[in-house]
Amino acid sequence: LGLLVPDISNMSYGPEIYRARRRRDRNVFGLFQGRLEENLKRLEVLKTMERAAQTRVRLGDAANGGLRFLERDRVDAVLTSPPYLSDHDYSRLTRLELVFSGNVASPSDLLKLKHRLLRSSSKNVYQSDHAVELVKRFGAVRSVIKGISERAEERASGFARVYPRLVGEYFGDMYKHFQTLGRVLRPGGQAAYIIGDQSSFFALRIKTAAIIAQLAEGCGAGLRVVAKEPLKKYRGTRGAVAWSNQEWMLLFQKRGRRNR
Ligand SMILES: C[S@@+](CC[C@H](N)C(=O)[O-])C[C@H]1O[C@@H](n2cnc3c(N)ncnc32)[C@H](O)[C@@H]1O
């Protein structure tokens, strides 16, 4: 339902919510029905697949103990797109779904949910957060925090002043997550992560993927980077194709031999 909002209103994402051009009347129910039918068709296709895998959906904070249900050395492969370090508040982007699905019925439910999210937005960093302590020994993290702090000092805006803390907490949470990943991944198992580099804070270039690679390799979990592939291709006006150097697929492998 939330996906429909940019099509039926003057709201758009860029990446945060903003007011776009005014729209003429839209066929809201028709568009909604179209989305439902698309999804129902997908479910029908899944039903016909002979070797359908068993799937289970679990809710948990991937940085703070939410993956405890997974046993040590049991996971063969991970494919994920963790939160971007670009001041996205993921609870906001899905606010309608959260309410309609019954997961959020009051402001206090929302607060609880935001506490469980990885710190990626200036609107969910809390006084009790101290994950930055885990990553202060990494020079690259210190230098990003310093660069942002210097720029933030010149700004009066409240949120701008939170940016240095946000960046520290983001990397701290990712560090904790990789410690967990190292525990649950089988020796020889692989994990693919989609990571974007950023310039969201005072246009300071943050090589997020390179920093994340350092944290994963340096968190003592036996992980090493085995590939770093650029994603998105851009086609120029003259037809030349270039790879973006902003979005990457990082592939990690856990040391040791597979024993299965
Ligand atoms: C870049 S988005 C990826 C979305 C996903 N690929 C999809 O299509 O739904 C990052 C996702 O991570 C989720 N997330 C944020 N904090 C998390 C946490 N601590 N543990 C697990 N997931 C989290 C966000 O809610 C968001 O859905």
Side-chain angles (χ1 to χ4, degrees), residues 60-62 81-84 90 116-118:
D61 174 351
S81 162
Y84 279 60
Y90 287 95
R116 283 210 305 256
L117 293 181
L118 201 129

Side-chain angles (χ1 to χ4, degrees), residues 60-64 67 80-84 88 90-91 94 115-120 124 173 177 194:
D61 174 351
N64 292 291
L67 300 182
T80 185
S81 162
Y84 279 60
H88 265 314
Y90 287 95
S91 75
T94 51
H115 265 275
R116 283 210 305 256
L117 293 181
L118 201 129
R119 305 300 183 248
S120 65
N124 80 326
D173 272 355
H177 166 69
I194 307 299

